[in-house]
């Protein structure tokens, strides 16, 4: 059964919402994946991550967020590239800034993905967080 890259991305976000880590999350990524997170309020210097760092970050994220939701507002898919505008909300498992445990963090994301061999090969995030 064939799937489009956009359908694949929707499954990827659903898996993150459901708390996927380890092998369940690894299945979405090409072994040579790189993810670039441009500077934002949580990561002021930005970051570049390989597969190992992405999987470790997902484990750490389980301690910070008790729930997450990705609402794709706009998407463009052409060949091996997908560009997304995403509204993200996260329920905190620990206090962050002025937000208490159980508080809601919100952000608008620009996410740009490139695929290779049917999996995510690169991901660039431009994350704009609401004040917290």
């Amino acid at each position: 059964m064939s799937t489009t890259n956009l359908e694949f991305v929707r499954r990827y976000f659903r898996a993150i919402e459901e708390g996927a880590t380890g092998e369940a999350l690894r299945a979405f990524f090409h072994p040579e994946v790189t993810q670039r997170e441009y500077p934002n309020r949580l990561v002021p210097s930005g970051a570049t991550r390989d597969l190992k760092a992405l999987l470790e970050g997902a484990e750490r994220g389980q301690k910070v967020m008790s729930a997450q939701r990705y609402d794709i507002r706009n998407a463009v898919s052409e060949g091996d590239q997908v560009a997304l505008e995403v509204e993200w909300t996260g329920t905190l498992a620990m206090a962050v800034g002025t937000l208490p445990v159980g508080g809601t963090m919100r952000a608008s994301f620009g996410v740009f993905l490139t695929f290779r061999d049917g999996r995510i090969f690169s991901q660039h995030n431009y994350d704009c967080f609401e004040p917290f």
Side-chain angles (χ1 to χ4, degrees), residues 4-15:
T4 68
N5 290 334
L6 184 54
E7 289 167 342
F8 188 92
V9 170
R10 290 183 192 281
R11 285 198 338 262
Y12 167 56
F13 283 147
R14 233 181 349 265

Side-chain angles (χ1 to χ4, degrees), residues 77-92:
S77 182
E78 181 70 33
D80 289 335
Q81 297 184 350
V82 176
L84 304 163
E85 178 182 7
V86 179
E87 294 298 321
W88 172 85
T89 55
T91 303
L92 294 168

Side-chain angles (χ1 to χ4, degrees), residues 16 23-24 34-36 63 65 67 78 82 84 110 119 131:
I16 295 170
E23 293 305 311
T34 58
Q35 186 247 359
R36 173 80 171 111
K63 296 178 177 99
M65 294 290 159
E78 181 70 33
V82 176
L84 304 163
R119 293 192 280 170

Side-chain angles (χ1 to χ4, degrees), residues 40-55:
N40 61 66
R41 190 121 186 252
L42 284 180
V43 185
S45 296
T48 300
R49 299 175 184 92
D50 62 7
L51 180 58
K52 181 180 180 211
L54 279 166
L55 297 176

Side-chain angles (χ1 to χ4, degrees), residues 72-123:
I72 298 173
R73 300 294 183 151
N74 195 5
V76 177
S77 182
E78 181 70 33
D80 289 335
Q81 297 184 350
V82 176
L84 304 163
E85 178 182 7
V86 179
E87 294 298 321
W88 172 85
T89 55
T91 303
L92 294 168
M94 60 187 298
V96 174
T98 61
L99 298 174
V101 172
T104 301
M105 185 176 272
R106 289 179 169 68
S108 298
F109 294 166
V111 183
F112 299 85
L113 303 121
T114 303
F115 285 77
R116 183 178 291 171
D117 301 326
R119 293 192 280 170
I120 298 167
F121 180 70
S122 70
Q123 178 175 334

